[in-house]
Amino acid sequence: MDIMSIVLGVLSLVTAFTPFIWLQVVGGFVGVAGIVLARRAKKADYRKSLTTAIGMLCSITGALLCFLTPVLSLLSNVALFFMTR
């Protein structure tokens, strides 16, 4: 489960930089799934702290980027719309 959380976190990070908003939202949910898997792996075996920490870090960063990027894009488009009027 710890390696799978790393894979899901990296997948979430990759989808954060795609130009499709629907893919970014899917990547955010993939990141959340990676967080859940990392927490379960840490509870199951406390000795896997390094791999679960890497999976948790990748998943949290990917989920935040995936959910934050569409919001920032929308805000910048609204600001650009009002600046050009």
Side-chain angles (χ1 to χ4, degrees):
M1 279 195 292
D2 53 340
I3 302 298
M4 192 63 182
S5 70
I6 295 173
V7 170
L8 290 177
V10 169
L11 247 150
S12 177
L13 281 169
V14 168
T15 59
F17 298 106
T18 59
F20 306 111
I21 292 177
W22 62 270
L23 194 58
Q24 291 171 350
V25 172
V26 169
F29 289 119
V30 168
V32 170
I35 293 168
V36 170
L37 282 178
R39 288 185 59 151
R40 285 186 185 171
K42 179 103 176 180
K43 285 181 184 178
D45 189 5
Y46 68 91
R47 293 172 291 178
K48 294 183 178 183
S49 63
L50 180 64
T51 54
T52 56
I54 292 170
M56 186 73 78
L57 180 69
C58 288
S59 297
I60 288 174
T61 306
L64 284 177
L65 283 176
C66 281
F67 288 135
L68 192 63
T69 303
V71 172
L72 291 178
S73 175
L74 180 67
L75 288 176
S76 68
N77 286 337
V78 168
L80 187 63
F81 175 74
F82 285 116
M83 288 172 61
T84 57
R85 288 187 105 203

